[in-house]
């Protein structure tokens, strides 16, 4: 009975004739020199978050030439391209981020950035030290391959070129949040979103995991307020400097001694302490800030409460007042398990069976692609870009002034984009009902 039913279902819903892998490979090969050219051009001309004017114009002009419907200035400089395939079907989105970082490049590449800008009032170098130049170029390449296959595509492809992934400048809105606020997903809402980040790993490999992929990030701020006194008569006031030191120790204890490290990676780093102006005045105020990285929303809530308890407990001991606040800096990037299992098919077509790792470790930075994924579900995966013969651990990490992208990997990224989109529309994979966390 079960067999019969399955047979009936298969017969009743004939799969659309699949676009052959050979076709996609040939077209990705053909576009590769252009992808490398775009990547080098964007690399040489990096733009900070919310300032990606040149990059966005390059993208929009390319998409228009290919026949995409194009929306510009969605979230400051964001660009959305829509390609309606020749056959009816669903909607799938592919996303790339466009912004560079305030980093002075030290790679020595012939197309290295020499661009400078002002950031937070300081003159800074600007560089694509997170590889978003490669992200833009790969999605432009995928755009071209997809446009060439338009007649065969059963559904619609939405390309999202997003500004300010690293965060907008202080006082400005930006990133995925602003794109969504300005209607990125209205009226056309994709059924799923897929995206790639370049990362130290063997060049051309694709790496991901089901469930929590990248951490939620919360910025922690602590203010300690006491009574100022002479450094020679500490008993006449309070000691917020000593308390700040004790607070750091206590918070380090909290994460190392109350979290099961085998269950979920968790990081709490206190990164700044500011107090005092002179060697013989114990000040009345100390300020600390740090970042909390979690992969589980219940644990995140528990830790925030425990941090507050610890900090206020120490304040009672030291006779001061303490305020603790958290602001969300990044949501958890959560790969929908059903899609994370399904995508092994198209990604192994792109990178070969030996080129995929569907059970990679979680990654502790956060990503605002999570906001798109929380809306519709999706998978975010990592493309290895380590130089040939260099181990991932020896590869300069993202955000390093020495960060580079092995350009042999770009073609794999183009294929992965194209195949994840086309196969999603062709195969309409099963979905999980719960696609996101409460974060
Ligand atoms: Zn980054
Ligand atoms: Zn990045």
């Amino acid at each position: 009975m079960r067999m019969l039913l399955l047979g009936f279902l298969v017969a009743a819903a004939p799969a659309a004739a699949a676009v052959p892998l050979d076709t996609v490979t040939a077209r990705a090969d053909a576009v590769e020199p252009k992808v490398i050219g775009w990547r080098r051009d964007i690399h040489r001309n990096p733009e900070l978050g919310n300032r990606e004017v040149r990059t966005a114009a390059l993208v929009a002009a390319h998409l228009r030439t290919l026949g995409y419907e194009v929306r510009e200035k969605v979230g400051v400089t964001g660009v959305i391209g829509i390609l309606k395939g020749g056959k009816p079907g669903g909607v799938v989105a592919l996303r790339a981020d466009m912004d560079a970082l305030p980093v002075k490049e030290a790679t020595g590449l012939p197309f290295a950035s020499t661009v400078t800008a002002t950031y937070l009032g300081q003159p800074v170098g600007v560089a694509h030290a997170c590889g978003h130049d490669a992200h833009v170029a790969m999605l432009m390449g995928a755009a071209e391959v997809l446009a060439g296959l338009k007649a065969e595509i059963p559904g619609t492809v939405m390309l999202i070129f997003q500004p300010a992934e690293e965060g907008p400048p202080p006082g400005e809105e930006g990133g995925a949040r602003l794109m969504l606020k300005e209607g990125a997903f209205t009226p056309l809402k994709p059924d799923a979103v897929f995206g790639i980040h370049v990362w130290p790993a063997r060049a051309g490999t694709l790496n991901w995991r089901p469930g929590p992929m990248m951490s939620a990030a919360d910025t922690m701020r602590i203010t300690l307020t006491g009574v100022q006194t002479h450094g020679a008569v500490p008993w006449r006031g309070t000691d917020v400097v000593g308390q700040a030191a004790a607070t750091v120790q206590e918070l380090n204890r909290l994460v190392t001694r109350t979290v099961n490290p085998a269950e979920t990676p968790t990081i709490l780093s206190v990164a700044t302490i500011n107090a005092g102006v002179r060697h013989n005045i114990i000040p009345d105020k100390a300020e600390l800030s740090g970042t909390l990285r979690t992969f589980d929303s219940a644990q995140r809530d528990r830790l925030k409460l425990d941090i507050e308890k610890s900090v206020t407990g120490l304040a009672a001991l030291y006779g001061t007042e303490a305020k603790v606040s958290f602001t969300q800096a990044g949501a958890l990037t959560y790969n929908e398990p059903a899609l994370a299992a399904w995508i092994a098919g198209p990604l192994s077509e792109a990178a070969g069976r030996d080129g995929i790792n569907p059970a990679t470790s979680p990654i502790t930075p956060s990503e605002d692609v999570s906001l798109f994924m929380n809306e519709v579900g999706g998978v975010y995966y990592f493309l290895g870009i380590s130089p040939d013969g260099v181990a991932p651990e020896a590869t300069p990490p993202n955000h390093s002034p020495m960060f580079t992208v092995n350009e042999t990997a770009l073609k794999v990224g183009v294929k992965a984009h194209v195949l994840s989109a086309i196969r999603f529309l062709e195969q309409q994979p099963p979905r999980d009902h719960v696609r996101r966390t409460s974060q």
Side-chain angles (χ1 to χ4, degrees):
M1 181 62 200
R2 198 167 171 195
M3 293 297 288
L4 281 173
L5 186 62
L6 276 173
F8 168 76
L9 283 174
V10 169
V19 174
L21 173 59
D22 288 352
T23 307
V24 174
T25 303
R27 286 171 185 263
D29 285 347
V31 84
E32 183 187 22
K34 282 195 200 175
V35 171
I36 292 173
W38 290 321
R39 184 258 160 166
R40 292 183 180 189
D41 174 59
I42 297 165
H43 191 88
R44 203 193 284 272
N45 296 283
E47 296 168 301
L48 291 173
N50 278 1
R51 306 288 183 271
E52 307 92 335
V53 177
R54 182 185 182 277
T55 311
L58 186 75
V59 166
H62 178 61
L63 295 181
R64 283 210 174 89
T65 311
L66 296 170
Y68 280 71
E69 236 174 76
V70 179
R71 288 171 66 192
E72 289 181 82
K73 298 191 174 136
V74 185
V76 192
T77 60
V79 181
I80 294 179
I82 307 285
L83 183 74
K84 292 206 174 84
K87 299 173 186 173
V91 184
V92 65
L94 303 173
R95 176 272 202 181
D97 41 8
M98 303 192 288
D99 53 324
L101 284 161
V103 168
K104 189 171 170 8
E105 181 161 355
T107 61
L109 289 169
F111 51 91
S113 163
T114 54
V115 172
T116 56
T118 303
Y119 184 73
L120 299 177
Q122 305 275 331
V124 290
V126 181
H128 269 294
C130 202
H132 300 181
D133 52 338
H135 299 173
V136 175
M138 290 190 293
L139 197 54
M140 286 173 70
E144 190 156 329
V145 174
L146 288 161
L149 297 168
K150 182 178 155 113
E152 329 289 321
I153 297 175
T156 298
V157 182
M158 172 190 277
L159 305 184
I160 304 168
F161 291 87
Q162 184 212 298
E165 190 288 321
E166 305 282 0
E172 295 180 30
E173 288 185 90
R177 189 178 300 281
L178 188 61
M179 284 193 85
L180 286 166
K181 193 171 151 189
E182 295 189 356
F185 284 179
T186 34
L188 189 68
K189 188 169 186 174
D191 303 317
V193 58
F194 302 114
I196 302 177
H197 207 300
V198 293
W199 196 254
R202 183 159 60 82
T205 56
L206 296 171
N207 309 278
W208 74 100
R209 72 196 310 278
M213 178 74 248
M214 298 181 80
S215 76
D218 290 279
T219 304
M220 172 184 73
R221 290 183 203 285
I222 298 172
T223 307
L224 310 176
T225 310
V227 178
Q228 184 165 310
T229 181
H230 197 298
V233 288
W235 56 91
R236 296 293 308 276
T238 60
D239 183 9
V240 290
V241 172
Q243 186 186 346
T247 301
V248 175
Q249 298 291 347
E250 172 57 20
L251 296 186
N252 285 342
R253 181 202 65 82
L254 205 57
V255 172
T256 51
R257 312 311 291 169
T258 71
V259 171
N260 179 346
E263 249 171 33
T264 158
T266 304
I267 293 164
L268 175 62
S269 293
V270 179
T272 71
I273 303 180
N274 285 298
V277 290
R278 205 183 137 79
H279 68 277
N280 62 356
I281 302 172
I282 300 173
D284 60 355
K285 195 177 250 185
E287 288 175 321
L288 298 84
S289 73
T291 185
L292 173 65
R293 304 293 169 116
T294 52
F295 289 85
D296 177 274
S297 57
Q299 191 199 64
R300 169 184 179 241
D301 293 344
R302 194 268 297 170
L303 269 172
K304 280 159 77 171
L305 282 176
D306 282 357
I307 289 167
E308 189 157 1
K309 255 194 266 171
S310 297
V311 171
T312 51
L314 277 170
L317 201 60
Y318 279 77
T320 63
E321 260 182 45
K323 277 203 184 108
V324 184
S325 70
F326 293 92
T327 44
Q328 190 184 57
L332 182 73
T333 302
Y334 185 82
N335 284 339
E336 183 182 326
L339 285 180
W342 165 82
I343 208 168
L347 296 191
S348 63
E349 285 190 277
R353 282 196 187 284
D354 298 339
I356 62 165
N357 178 4
T360 196
S361 303
I363 287 179
T364 48
S366 71
E367 243 292 339
D368 80 350
V369 71
S370 51
L371 301 178
F372 293 125
M373 293 167 71
N374 281 350
E375 290 289 315
V376 296
V379 178
Y380 198 60
Y381 54 97
F382 292 81
L383 171 64
I385 47 71
S386 287
D388 295 336
V390 178
E393 312 78 61
T395 306
N398 298 56
H399 294 204
S400 156
M402 296 294 289
F403 179 78
T404 57
V405 168
N406 186 331
E407 289 176 335
T408 61
L410 299 181
K411 190 170 66 180
V412 178
V414 171
K415 284 171 74 175
H417 270 317
V418 170
L419 288 160
S420 64
I422 290 186
R423 298 292 183 246
F424 178 83
L425 295 172
E426 287 172 350
Q427 296 171 5
Q428 300 171 34
R431 304 297 298 271
D432 288 321
H433 292 298
V434 180
R435 289 180 202 154
R436 53 179 149 160
T437 66
S438 61
Q439 306 193 27

